[in-house]
Amino acid sequence: AQRVTQPEKLLSVFKGAPVELKCNYSYSGSPELFWYVQYSRQRLQLLLRHISRESIKGFTADLNKGETSFHLKKPFAQEEDSAMYYCALNSGGSNYKLTFGKGTLLTVNP
Amino acid sequence: DTGVSQDPRHKITKRGQNVTFRCDPISEHNRLYWYRQTLGQGPEFLTYFQNEAQLEKSRLLSDRFSAERPKGSFSTLEIQRTEQGDSAMYLCASSLVGLVGYTFGSGTRLTVV
C-alpha cells in the first residue's frame, strides 16, 4: 500500500539557517512526488514536483529511490517560508490521486 | 476566473442532519477532486470526476456520502445523517488532464455537534 511519512510535525529554525523537511514514501510502482505548501490563512498550493527538477522559492527536492525519500531543502531559510508543508505521492497513475503525508509545520524565527 | 471556489466556508450542523457542499472549479479544468482533512492529518482522497463522470471513490466514502458533477461543471458533495466523525475540512481541487498539480479551493469546514 502507498504511504507517505513526514516524521517531524514541527520544525523550527532561525532565519538564514539551512532547512530540510523530511519525506519518506512507500509505493510499489514508479513514484511521482510533490511538495505542497499552505501559508497562514491561504489555500494549499503546489510548491514543486520531482519530475521537473525545479527550484521554487529557493527550495529543491531530490527523489532518492534507494532511500525512498523526497526531502525538501533550502540552504537559507527566510521568515516568509514559515508554513505547513505536505509531501504527496501520486498513487493513482494518470488519475493523479494523491496520498499526502501528515505535514510538517515550519517556523522560521527572526 | 479567480480559482476554485467552495461554498459555504463553514457549516455547523446537528448530528443526523444532511449537509451539501458546493465546489466551482476553474472553468477549463475537466478534473475535479474531493479530499477530506481532519486535525493533524494531511488531506485524504475521497473521490474524483473527469468531466461529469465519477471515476473513482475511496473506501472512506461511505454510503452516506454522495458526490455529483452535473454537466461537468460545478460539483456537490452531500453527507446524509451526519455523524460527529464527519467533522473535518472538505477540500475541492481541480486540474486539467495532462497537467500536473491541482489547484485547491479554500475548503469547507464542517462541524457536527
Side-chain angles (χ1 to χ4, degrees):
Chain A
Q2 58 273 7
R3 183 180 300 164
V4 175
T5 303
Q6 294 180 249
E8 304 137 328
K9 289 184 70 172
L10 303 169
L11 184 62
S12 182
V13 300
F14 286 102
K15 177 182 172 182
V19 63
E20 180 178 71
L21 292 90
K22 292 184 167 53
C23 171
N24 289 90
Y25 67 91
S26 173
Y27 186 54
S28 56
S30 182
E32 189 173 359
L33 287 139
F34 305 84
W35 278 98
Y36 278 79
V37 61
Q38 188 167 26
Y39 300 102
S40 180
R41 287 185 288 277
Q42 294 188 28
R43 58 189 68 188
L44 199 56
Q45 57 187 280
L46 177 66
L47 179 62
L48 56 78
R49 46 190 172 158
H50 93 268
I51 201 166
S52 58
R53 302 184 64 82
E54 57 204 340
S55 173
I56 302 292
K57 299 184 179 183
F59 284 98
T60 59
D62 290 317
L63 178 61
N64 186 323
K65 291 186 179 180
E67 296 182 358
T68 61
S69 68
F70 187 57
H71 303 327
L72 184 68
K73 300 177 184 179
K74 185 170 182 177
F76 308 104
Q78 303 299 313
E79 289 180 68
E80 56 265 30
D81 297 328
S82 297
M84 192 74 175
Y85 291 81
Y86 294 96
C87 183
L89 167 72
N90 175 19
S91 52
S94 60
N95 292 342
Y96 281 100
K97 178 180 73 175
L98 297 182
T99 298
F100 284 85
K102 293 185 178 183
T104 298
L105 180 62
L106 173 66
T107 302
V108 180
N109 301 295
Chain B
D1 195 332
T2 56
V4 179
S5 300
Q6 291 189 245
D7 184 67
R9 293 293 300 272
H10 304 275
K11 178 72 177 179
I12 300 174
T13 191
K14 290 184 178 179
R15 189 175 52 181
Q17 297 293 304
N18 299 343
V19 294
T20 300
F21 311 140
R22 177 179 170 123
C23 172
D24 286 90
I26 293 174
S27 57
E28 62 266 28
H29 284 184
N30 48 11
R31 283 188 171 168
L32 187 148
Y33 301 80
W34 285 99
Y35 282 77
R36 181 173 69 186
Q37 187 173 20
T38 53
L39 200 60
Q41 303 294 318
E44 295 174 293
F45 172 80
L46 292 178
T47 188
Y48 107 95
F49 294 83
Q50 183 160 314
N51 300 312
E52 66 275 11
Q54 187 174 18
L55 296 186
E56 188 168 346
K57 290 166 56 172
S58 164
R59 283 172 289 180
L60 291 175
L61 218 62
S62 75
D63 291 345
R64 297 184 297 106
F65 288 71
S66 63
E68 293 182 341
R69 192 184 182 196
K71 302 178 183 177
S73 56
F74 70 92
S75 176
T76 58
L77 178 67
E78 180 183 16
I79 309 174
Q80 296 182 326
R81 304 181 303 282
T82 52
E83 301 172 356
Q84 286 190 318
D86 297 331
S87 295
M89 176 73 85
Y90 290 83
L91 295 168
C92 177
S94 69
S95 72
L96 197 57
V97 172
L99 286 186
V100 175
Y102 303 157
T103 301
F104 276 93
S106 297
T108 293
R109 182 169 295 284
L110 173 67
T111 303
V112 182
V113 297

